[in-house]
Amino acid sequence: MISDPRFNRLRLLLGDDVLSRVMAKRVIVFGIGGVGSWCAESLVRSGISDITLVDADRVCVTNINRQLLATTSAVDGVKVDVMKRRLLDINPRARVTALERRYDESTANEFNLNDYDYVIDAIDSLSDKALLILNACNSTAKLFASMGAALKTDTSRISTAEFWKVQGCPLAASLRRRFKKNKTLPSRKFQCVYSDEVFSNRGVTIDNDGAMTYGKVAINGTLCHTTAIFGLKLAELVINDVLKAK
């Protein structure tokens, strides 16, 4: 696969040795929405050829403003299936596994995170996200997590930091409070993508716009360029981790 002309520019930049290592990695992405969809596509375009997509949702018309897979013709389609077709159109030789399910207490034991080199957390639900973080940190996989990408407009404030050093992000603060309250802390450090910007919704509050929320406490406004950069930064963490490995 390394000689596939699709990856000529990757070979030129990274060299055959690094690209071979990238192609050998296994990645699982939890949450194929405004962040996870862009992360998954960037990973496959960057040479990842074994990727698992996990999401229980279907494409909703309100996803169109920010989610890579969301188009008018895709509305009502299973997100992971729509994304799988797109990724295979990019690299037909990739191994793409689509799992239409939610990661929570009832399903967590169905996932052997030790089977993967990288776990990507792009989950919205606080409880599900906390559970994945704890379990991923107890696995042999390396975890990279997205903090809150909604209510952001300034991409210059998107950055990366170790979880306990993330500042100005309400979601990270909520996770830390939850871990401390439950007296169950992640067993190791992990890198996050976050922004310290706190922008407020300026429009009319929407109680239910047809999207499945899976335990989210509120629906907040989002922009494509901010959620996309969150996803692309997650992909960057994966590729750079392979690049710097001895």
Side-chain angles (χ1 to χ4, degrees):
M1 189 186 295
I2 195 171
S3 60
D4 190 323
R6 292 175 180 83
F7 303 113
N8 280 355
R9 301 302 175 92
L10 290 172
R11 294 180 69 189
L12 183 63
L13 179 66
L14 302 178
D16 287 358
D17 179 59
V18 172
L19 183 55
S20 293
R21 285 192 278 123
V22 169
M23 290 180 168
K25 299 301 181 183
R26 300 190 68 196
V27 182
I28 185 167
V29 181
F30 289 91
I32 310 300
V35 173
S37 60
W38 294 90
C39 176
E41 173 147 333
S42 181
L43 287 172
V44 170
R45 289 187 185 273
S46 300
I48 294 294
S49 55
D50 191 326
I51 188 168
T52 297
L53 313 173
V54 184
D55 198 306
D57 206 356
R58 288 177 174 266
V59 179
C60 175
V61 68
T62 61
N63 300 152
I64 290 174
N65 82 305
R66 69 197 181 282
Q67 298 186 14
L68 182 66
L69 53 82
T71 59
T72 300
S73 62
V75 169
D76 293 330
V78 175
K79 282 187 178 178
V80 291
D81 291 342
V82 175
M83 194 73 208
K84 177 178 180 177
R85 289 194 295 271
R86 181 176 173 90
L87 296 182
L88 289 176
D89 200 26
I90 294 167
N91 181 8
R93 299 172 67 183
R95 179 183 176 186
V96 183
T97 303
L99 300 178
E100 185 190 359
R101 69 191 70 168
R102 178 180 176 181
Y103 187 89
D104 59 16
E105 291 282 1
S106 66
T107 63
N109 62 0
E110 299 174 13
F111 297 89
N112 184 0
L113 302 182
N114 294 319
D115 287 342
Y116 302 92
D117 298 290
Y118 296 99
V119 172
I120 303 297
D121 161 35
I123 292 176
D124 290 329
S125 164
L126 182 66
S127 60
D128 297 349
K129 192 177 197 73
L131 179 64
L132 177 61
I133 287 171
L134 292 174
N135 289 340
C137 286
N138 287 330
S139 76
T140 58
K142 180 164 285 190
L143 168 68
F144 294 125
S146 172
M147 295 296 105
L151 298 177
K152 314 294 181 186
T153 65
D154 184 354
T155 60
S156 71
R157 295 171 71 169
I158 299 173
S159 187
T160 59
E162 197 281 318
F163 172 67
W164 294 101
K165 295 182 179 180
V166 171
Q167 297 181 347
C169 175
L171 178 56
S174 295
L175 284 166
R176 290 193 289 255
R177 286 194 298 270
R178 184 185 185 92
F179 290 140
K180 291 175 181 177
K181 180 181 178 180
N182 294 339
K183 295 182 171 58
T184 306
L185 303 181
S187 60
R188 54 186 165 90
K189 296 179 179 181
F190 58 96
Q191 291 290 309
C192 301
V193 179
Y194 76 101
S195 169
D196 63 359
E197 180 184 14
V198 181
F199 196 86
S200 298
N201 287 315
R202 297 182 178 182
V204 177
T205 300
I206 301 170
D207 294 326
N208 186 352
D209 61 0
M212 300 171 73
T213 59
Y214 295 105
K216 289 175 63 174
V217 296
I219 296 173
N220 288 311
T222 50
L223 283 167
C224 180
H225 58 266
T226 52
T227 59
I229 290 177
F230 267 73
L232 297 177
K233 291 289 285 184
L234 286 170
E236 173 193 323
L237 288 172
V238 172
I239 301 304
N240 282 350
D241 189 70
V242 179
L243 182 61
K244 70 184 181 184
K246 294 182 180 179

